[in-house]
Amino acid sequence: MVCSPEKAGAACPECLERRILSGLPGSCFSFVHGLHESPLPFASAAVVQIASDGAEECNGSQQSTGYFVLVGLHGGKALLDIQECENNSLENGSQIDLRGKESTDADDNHRKQSIISTITKLTPTQYLARAATSEIRELISSYLNLTTEESVMNSLNLLSENKIVGSGGLDFLNFTGFSEFNDIHPSGHVRHPNILPVLGIVETYDCCYMLHPKFPYTLENIMHYSPEALWSDWHIRFLIYQIISALVYLHDFGVHHGNLKPSAIFMSDSLWPYLSISDICPVKQNCGFAESKRPALTLCCFEEDCSSRDIYSGFNLSSSLDWQSYSKRWWMGELSNYEYILVLNKLAGRRWGDPAFHTVMPWVIDFTVRPDENSDIGWRDLTKSKWRLAKGDEQLDFTYSSSEVPHHVSDECLSELAVCSYKARRLPKNILRSAVRSVYEPNEYPSNMQRLYQWTPDECIPEFYSDPRIFVSLHSEMSNLALPSWVTSAEEFICLHRDALESDRVSRQLHHWIDITFGYKLSGESSVEAKNVMLPPSDPAKPKSTGRRQLFMKPHPKRLTITPHSTYHNKMESCAKCQGGSSSMTTGLLLKDHIPPAMQSQIDYLEEFEQANVFMKLENHLCPIYDYANDSSCCCSSVKYNKSPCSNQDIVPPESVLSVAPDFDFCSFLECFESDDSSPTGYQELLRWKQKSCSVNEYHANDIFSVGCILAEIYLHRPLFDADLLSAYKETGVLPGAIQELPIHVAVLVESCIQREWKRRPLAKHLLESQYFPPSVRSAYMFLAPLQLICTPRDRLKYVAKLASEGTLRAMGECAAEMCAPYCLPLVSPSLSDIDTEFALALLKEFVKCLSVQATKDLILHIIQKILQAGGLLGESFTVKQILPLLRNVILSCIESSKINKPEPQHSWNSFSLMDGLSALEGLVSVLPVKTILRELLQVAASALVDLCQQIGPENTATYVLPHLKELFAELAFSHESSGLSVPTKGLKFFDGNKTEPAKMESRIDLVFLLYPFLAALVGIEKLRECYSTWFLLEQALQRLYGWKPSTDHSGSSENMKGQRFRPGNYTSSEPAPTKLVAEIGKNGRNMTVSNQGSRLEHGSSSDNLCASTSGNQPWFWFPSPDRNCWAPDFLGRSAGMKDELPWKIKASVLYSARAHPGALRSLAVHDDEFTIFTGGVGPGFKGSIQKWELPNMNCSSGYYGHEEVVNSICILSITGKVASCDGTIHIWNAQTGKLIAVHTESSISFPQQTASIEQANMLNQDALSGGILSNAFRGSLYTTMHYMESKDKLVAGMGNGSIRFIDISQDQKLHLWKSDSDEISFSSLVSAICSCASDKLKKDSTAASSSWIAAGLSSGYCRLLDERSGNIVAVWRAHDGHITKLAAPEDHLIVSSSLDKTLRVWDLRGNLSTQSNIYRSHSDGIINFSAWGQDMVSVSRNKIALTSLSRPTSEIGHQQLTFQNLYSSDRGVKYKNMSVLSTISVLPLSRLFVVGTEDGFLKICH
């Protein structure tokens, strides 16, 4: 039931502009472009701009105040009495009664009455009969000043106080789903929050226009150009809930939409959806200016005296967009190249007349000579983009290799600048000033076609193939665009230019241009080969209305034959080629049989036809169907509408305030806000809901079918139905296969909505009650809907602050509160008045209580900082009462969160939030006196410092914290409070009432009591006394004032705190850790069996060293302990620990051992939370397998068994929750379910098999411990190792031929490939290890190359350092004499490497790599693997482990021996040496343990 007003008159752009400007003279409207629904520019609606007063010539940068849409209503002049209807406001309750009006055309009058009655019934609007300029401006001003719906918001604010004015508030709450008001019927005076506001119906002398605001996006825009804007499942549910809510509103009035599809759903900047009244079936069928006398399938301007009729006539296009039909007709020559490209533009979303996204055409000649098909001179190469032809391959290669984000093309194929330059002679000067250059200079525009073609890297526009007027200037100071010398008139140029576009030469190449502009060469490796890689948007989640839409995923088929000249040419009488007539006769025969003479047989033709047909079937997503009937003839003609009520009703004056009815209580409204935990939302509840589905109106049921199709498309990223699939579904009842790809809860809802029997589809109201929509979605809708009213921000802020203060955010839960924040927080700004600031702070307080720490940092802190940047405008009293408590809550929340056991990334986020909060405090120093700051935030600051010291440990506290407290403690030691003196001593400054110097608070001595005893316990009293020379005065004051005495046992303080660094057992958690199991064993004195197949627990000598945690409330964190005063090698960015620091002593004791694999365990990966470990090794049948282990109980919870070869590398993709594993091919799979998501491999054709040299073979076979290197790794197409770049969510994979491949995890596609260049190395070798800079994140102020590098270790012993942004090789050096087994980067300028040559080496990237000799030796066998723990490295070789520290003196490096030892396990007190050959190792810094894998398949936890 798609409504398409084919019989309603549409106008060309020129006639449409003339009609609007002449019908509404002086109305401040400026025509922008038409809104056409077909590939041709015929429309009955237009985008207009409301400009400020002032002459165009005088204002070079004319400020626009908004864009609006005028929709022409079919039926000619509105037969209404001007005097009766003038200034008749329907918003105030007055309706238009047209029954008594006489008309010469009864049908036209009835139609008009139905249209206006429908519009005024569905939304409050204002009818302006023969409106004057002032009335239209007043209408626009009311909207722009945000006063249109002010009365509704006032009613809601009074309703929150149990008072009511009119019925506006009640009606609105009814729209949001408040069940208390189900028996109250809307009065028609209030707009539904998801219905596009209609500002008015404006009558002119010959037609009517409906005026409504222009919204920036449609759902189709979001789905095509920025799908990541709908980034969560909750957002999708919220969006669909709002659309259905609007349908409920329409259906309650007896009106169905009939045209529901993504392009008919408008979106605001905040992605709030709207349905337009102009798109609903009763109105849309009557859009237009007059009944067209042309055939229904002919598109043309309805104006009989249209001056552009010759330009736009003769096209073989209709208003439908059946791409398969158009493509087949073009392929067979029945449709011209020009027409087919227009169809592709429309499918890609391009808009004729819109400079920002104009319809694009290819340049086909360079205008140097007259086009001649028998000559190669002057023709453009369509196999390359115009950007590539203009820039050159060399420049594009440089751009691609040197850019931080590799790309060739940085702009659209047709930019706004190019369009305005092309049409400069026809566009108003204010548009040229805004789009081209602010200073209008007519001589700067290209003066002729050849210069224009050479100047621009962009493609062409249709006007150069159809409209001779584009050469004629409307500006006296700008000359006409000069024609080429080989034509005599603009008409002749258009004819010859169009002939060139339709020529056989162009037709043979046009499919290449389509592939580049709309097809498969827009992405993947094909775009790289075509030098057509687009620069991606900086923020993919930001909504966009323009962009490059890739229509085709496969190469476009070549055209079979050309279109005859007479078919597309419109001026046969004036064209010599048409007068000849020979070509048309020949082509006519071809079109009859569809077999060109070049074909040798019908078999060749049938083969090409089959290829083209397969291509068309594959691209069925270009013909989406959203309507079950798919027939415009049955649209709404039989729908009966309720009579609109008369306006003779009593309107309650605004002054009179009525108490709410006894059965109403505002508290009952507050009780409707629920969280997702308050009601069941499981799959079974959804199935029970589905069984209750039923509809009572076929037209309404078809709207529900459309909802199901839209919902499925959002999840699938492609349409659910095309014409063929819908036909098959109607005939067989078999659901499309794509249904199975939907999440199960979505599939249930979609299946219910698309039932073949319309009676089995649910009502719209019933859909809102579905368990698919959790309570948080319903609650958020009730909370946010009033914010969409057209009223001032102050009114909206007052309402939402009141609602939040009543506990609604807390009732909705953390998730819903976070989703509501982007809608509410923009209302808070530093420029608010005192009263509004109270509302703003109340709102911020509620959000701080509900949001997570990360959400608070992202959403709240920057708002507080903006308020603080406003200076002292708020005053000391307000800041102390409002700002400081809010900031205190944020900081305390961060501190409390830091004590909870969470993975390291979450703790990092929490630290950043804490730093931001402290930065905000710093901003208050310039606003408030120091006394106030200390009095209000003393406890908070001290608590934060204590918590920080506990986490970083005694060594770091002594190094970094104590020196900064020295001055403070010295000042406090001599204060009058601590010394007992009544007058200031030396150095004391105090406030005496006359001076402006900062005063010292008496309570500051409390800070000593809070910090000094804690620091004494942490670092030791002796160490504390060494740091502070005033320790005696401080301890005397503490004893006198607080009764505190230092502990006499000093021996255990410092050393005991250090000892905790190496003792397992300090790590506490809600779940048992392996060290707790060991402690339990030591307590019971016997073996404990863990319920896991093939697992056993080993305990022994290490159990007596376990101790309880002293902190008891936070996990242990590793922080390297530097000291600037002690010796260290100069390659370290920070030096080692203090001189008296105890070395790290590995006890080399196996705490727990489990059989992980039947064969060798070759790789392992540890999750950040250290609760989960993935092991890769040899599984059953000698195939690769991966096991997932839960450390608290050492259970193998799941695994992945899709590998054919041994897994050589595992990466946990922490951002996505996926795991990548490599056995020569890369498998990406779900860590929770083990389900395969994607497989990446390289073509063996692109990388021919290589032959390994003798030296390489010796290195690989030098030791049986290959660490999982594939036996056939010299096949260049295999991946040999991986490295995950978390900050960019990209996987870097090394290959058997020395190349490096980048893989985008989020987009699931391979990116660029850096091929090896073996010139600097004597032979090719495989990539055996990869690492990147330690931070793995680019700092904003960092420009050094060391912050964005990738290092690749090779089997030849060489190491490459590459620029991560461009792939340029920074350095190549011989790192080892054998196969490099691992690389690591403890610092951004530091690389550690290990090799089968038995050495561990350290490389400082700041020095000459070829001359460095930082070598660590000791192992008698090759080093298979190592793991970093701060500045310490733990390496494994055969059955031994070794420890070394990078913080050795420089003099020792070069001949340093590794300290190695065997692993031991114990059973019943007897120690056993571990004889298993070790294959891999990883340190657990939080637990202070390490895990190893062995060649016999065991996973061992050690300390």
Side-chain angles (χ1 to χ4, degrees), residues 1004-1030:
R1004 289 208 313 173
I1005 192 64
D1006 294 340
L1007 196 60
V1008 179
F1009 178 67
L1010 290 173
L1011 295 179
Y1012 194 89
F1014 164 75
L1015 295 173
L1018 182 67
V1019 303
I1021 190 65
E1022 295 300 333
K1023 173 64 67 177
L1024 198 62
R1025 289 173 175 176
E1026 289 178 9
C1027 294
Y1028 304 132
S1029 59
T1030 57

Side-chain angles (χ1 to χ4, degrees), residues 1186 1200-1213 1216 1218-1230 1235-1243 1270 1275-1285 1289-1296 1299-1306 1308-1313 1327 1330:
I1186 299 177
Y1200 176 71
Y1201 311 97
H1203 286 286
E1204 294 295 327
E1205 299 285 344
V1206 180
V1207 177
N1208 58 52
S1209 185
I1210 303 174
C1211 290
I1212 300 176
L1213 313 180
T1216 59
K1218 305 172 185 176
V1219 174
S1221 51
C1222 175
D1223 67 343
T1225 62
I1226 293 177
H1227 295 212
I1228 298 177
W1229 45 281
N1230 189 299
K1235 181 179 179 181
L1236 180 64
I1237 298 174
V1239 175
H1240 296 281
T1241 184
E1242 297 289 343
S1243 171
L1270 298 172
R1275 285 174 49 193
S1277 60
L1278 292 183
Y1279 299 116
T1280 55
T1281 186
M1282 298 186 303
H1283 173 72
Y1284 179 54
M1285 301 178 67
D1289 200 17
K1290 292 180 181 177
L1291 205 60
V1292 186
M1295 299 179 63
S1299 300
I1300 296 178
R1301 165 70 73 184
F1302 282 73
I1303 299 174
D1304 190 327
I1305 299 301
S1306 60
D1308 191 21
Q1309 64 179 0
K1310 291 186 288 187
L1311 302 177
H1312 39 282
L1313 177 72
V1327 178
I1330 299 176

Side-chain angles (χ1 to χ4, degrees), residues 142-153:
S142 176
Y143 172 79
L144 296 176
N145 293 331
L146 303 174
T147 59
T148 305
E149 296 174 334
E150 188 176 19
S151 60
V152 180
M153 179 56 76

Side-chain angles (χ1 to χ4, degrees), residues 46-112:
V47 176
V48 294
Q49 186 178 11
I50 308 301
S52 58
D53 293 329
E56 178 186 11
E57 301 296 335
C58 301
N59 190 357
S61 58
Q62 194 174 20
Q63 294 182 349
S64 63
T65 54
Y67 289 90
F68 295 83
V69 175
L70 282 173
V71 181
L73 299 179
H74 176 45
K77 178 182 177 181
L79 302 175
L80 298 172
D81 185 85
I82 298 176
Q83 297 300 325
E84 291 185 14
C85 301
E86 188 172 9
N87 296 329
N88 193 359
S89 175
L90 301 181
E91 183 182 3
N92 295 327
S94 300
Q95 300 283 335
I96 302 297
D97 186 5
L98 303 176
R99 291 174 293 179
K101 302 298 178 182
E102 297 182 355
S103 173
T104 57
D105 190 344
D107 292 337
D108 184 54
N109 188 27
H110 175 73
R111 182 186 299 114
K112 186 179 312 302

Side-chain angles (χ1 to χ4, degrees), residues 853 888-900 910 914 939-945 947-948 951:
V853 173
R888 183 189 298 115
N889 291 337
V890 173
I891 296 175
L892 290 177
S893 176
C894 295
I895 295 174
E896 291 301 321
S897 179
S898 66
K899 299 178 181 179
I900 302 173
N910 186 72
L914 185 59
Q939 186 66 41
V940 177
S943 300
L945 184 61
D947 189 81
L948 178 64
Q951 293 195 36

Side-chain angles (χ1 to χ4, degrees), residues 772-833:
Y772 172 74
F773 302 109
S776 62
V777 168
R778 300 185 180 95
S779 301
Y781 183 64
M782 287 191 295
F783 187 84
L784 296 176
L787 300 185
Q788 314 310 314
L789 288 169
I790 306 173
C791 58
T792 61
R794 176 185 180 182
D795 292 333
R796 283 177 278 169
L797 178 61
K798 178 181 178 181
Y799 176 81
V800 75
K802 170 67 176 176
L803 209 57
S805 300
E806 296 292 340
T808 53
L809 288 175
R810 283 168 287 175
M812 289 190 289
E814 179 181 313
C815 176
E818 184 173 343
M819 299 306 169
C820 291
Y823 294 90
C824 304
L825 296 180
L827 299 173
V828 180
S829 66
S831 59
L832 297 174
S833 64

